[in-house]
């Protein structure tokens, strides 16, 4: 328990140092202009941005999870973990600029009982590994706008969201929008499929293309084709031809998005 409290206090101190101040409410018309904060009044992300010389925005969370189970006719069980989430962007998402994005998770098993085999009341994916410290990252990508005649170039670990979600380590190239064709944009992508719970397998790869257009300011239609070679058989076969189509429409609230998904097919070769 002393060890648990010490680790919790250490991570709690980091979380407090990282926490950003709550954004101020709308200014009153009679309010004087806000003063520029002094160096010692900057939040942690602002200080990091000043150090790097680029805009920096981030969020860090840390929590302790303790669980106990005890009762008549049941096996006593307990589990103590620390879990951290880190997400940040560094740089500018603007023409001629580059931006790096990262999102990841770390966890530590404080009690040291990993339960890699057999039944455990508080079992989870992290327990399948043989290490007390487990980490994974969901996004780690560098994006450039208006580079080499392309609207966007993105390299690293990323997701392509549409009728389905493809997660891969690789590169994505977005062509410029064609004004006369409802902003039609063609995208090419390729890389290695990602499985957060497994290591990559030699020989796995994917490649494909997508076409998307905006027939209405609140709607987008897209079609995608991808060829996937994946030993983990994500779609039921090791070699997959995946074709999807989607219509995405904003309804009333601009934050509410309705998606109509097309179809996909798999083919084993």
């Amino acid at each position: 328990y002393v060890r648990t409290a010490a680790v919790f206090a250490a991570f709690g101190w980091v979380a407090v140092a990282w926490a950003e101040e709550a954004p101020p409410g709308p200014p009153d018309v009679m309010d004087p202009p806000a003063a520029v904060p002094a160096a010692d009044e900057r939040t942690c992300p602002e200080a990091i941005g000043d150090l790097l010389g680029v805009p920096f925005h981030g969020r860090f969370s840390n929590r302790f999870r303790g669980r106990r189970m005890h009762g008549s006719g049941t096996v006593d069980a307990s589990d103590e973990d620390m879990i951290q989430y880190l997400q940040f962007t560094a740089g500018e998402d603007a023409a001629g600029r580059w931006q790096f994005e990262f999102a990841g998770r770390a966890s530590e098993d404080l009690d040291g009982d990993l339960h890699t085999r057999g039944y455990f009341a508080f079992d989870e994916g992290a327990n399948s590994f043989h290490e007390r410290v487990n980490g994974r990252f969901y996004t780690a990508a560098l994006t450039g706008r208006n580079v080499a005649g392309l609207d966007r170039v993105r390299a690293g670990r990323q997701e392509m969201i549409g009728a389905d979600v493809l997660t891969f380590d690789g590169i994505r190239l977005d062509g410029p929008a064609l004004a006369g064709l409802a902003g039609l944009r063609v995208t090419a992508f390729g890389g290695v499929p990602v499985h957060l719970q497994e290591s990559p397998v030699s020989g796995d790869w994917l490649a494909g293309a997508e076409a998307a257009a905006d027939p209405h300011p609140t709607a987008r239609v897209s079609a995608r084709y991808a060829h996937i070679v994946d030993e983990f058989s994500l779609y039921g076969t090791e070699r997959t031809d995946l074709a999807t189509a989607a219509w995405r429409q904003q309804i009333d609230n601009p934050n509410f998005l309705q998606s109509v998904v097309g179809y996909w097919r798999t083919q084993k070769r």
Side-chain angles (χ1 to χ4, degrees), residues 37-60:
D40 57 355
E41 296 178 352
R42 296 173 301 176
T43 63
C44 184
E46 290 173 344
I48 294 176
D50 291 344
L51 179 64
L52 298 177
V54 297
F56 185 92
H57 304 280
R59 184 177 299 275
F60 173 82

Side-chain angles (χ1 to χ4, degrees), residues 25 36-37 41 52 57 73 84 109-110 114 136 158 208 215 247 253:
V36 177
E41 296 178 352
L52 298 177
H57 304 280
Q84 301 83 38
D109 192 299
L110 301 180
L114 300 181
R136 66 183 69 131
Q158 55 191 291
W247 172 281
N253 185 340

Side-chain angles (χ1 to χ4, degrees), residues 176-184 213-214:
L178 304 178
L181 297 174
L184 177 66
D214 302 324

Side-chain angles (χ1 to χ4, degrees), residues 76-263:
D76 293 350
S78 64
D79 188 41
E80 298 176 355
D81 305 296
M82 294 293 295
I83 303 172
Q84 301 83 38
Y85 289 93
L86 174 63
Q87 182 178 9
F88 69 83
T89 61
E92 297 182 62
D93 185 18
R97 301 289 185 176
W98 293 85
Q99 184 181 68
F100 180 75
E101 303 172 51
F102 177 88
R105 174 188 187 272
S107 62
E108 302 82 32
D109 192 299
L110 301 180
D111 53 39
D113 198 348
L114 300 181
H115 298 281
T116 58
R117 295 182 180 179
Y119 170 77
F120 180 52
F122 304 120
D123 203 5
E124 59 181 332
N127 288 339
S128 63
F129 299 94
H130 295 275
E131 301 293 336
R132 295 178 58 179
V133 178
N134 176 258
R136 66 183 69 131
F137 60 92
Y138 306 108
T139 303
L142 183 66
T143 302
R145 290 285 189 178
N146 298 97
V147 177
L150 299 172
D151 179 68
R152 181 170 67 168
V153 175
R154 185 173 174 85
R157 176 158 298 185
Q158 55 191 291
E159 290 183 339
M160 285 193 65
I161 301 175
D164 62 332
V165 179
L166 295 177
T167 304
F168 62 96
D169 292 333
I171 189 167
R172 168 179 175 170
L173 306 175
D174 292 345
L178 304 178
L181 297 174
L184 177 66
R185 178 182 289 110
V186 177
T187 297
F189 58 90
V192 179
V194 169
H195 302 278
L196 297 176
Q197 298 290 350
E198 295 93 8
S199 300
V201 176
S202 176
D204 285 358
W205 61 276
L206 63 81
E210 179 180 84
D214 302 324
H216 188 271
T218 63
R220 168 165 292 189
V221 60
S222 63
R224 178 193 301 166
Y225 168 79
H227 180 73
I228 305 171
V229 177
D230 188 352
E231 186 174 314
F232 287 105
S233 305
L234 181 62
Y235 294 97
T237 62
E238 293 184 9
R239 294 178 179 270
T240 303
D241 291 311
L242 181 67
T244 61
W247 172 281
R248 309 181 72 187
Q249 176 77 49
Q250 290 181 346
I251 306 296
D252 297 330
N253 185 340
N255 295 320
F256 178 78
L257 204 61
Q258 181 187 52
S259 296
V260 179
V261 177
Y263 75 97

Side-chain angles (χ1 to χ4, degrees), residues 16-35:
V16 171
W18 179 271
E20 296 191 47
E21 299 176 356
D28 188 271
V29 293
M30 299 301 293
D31 288 345

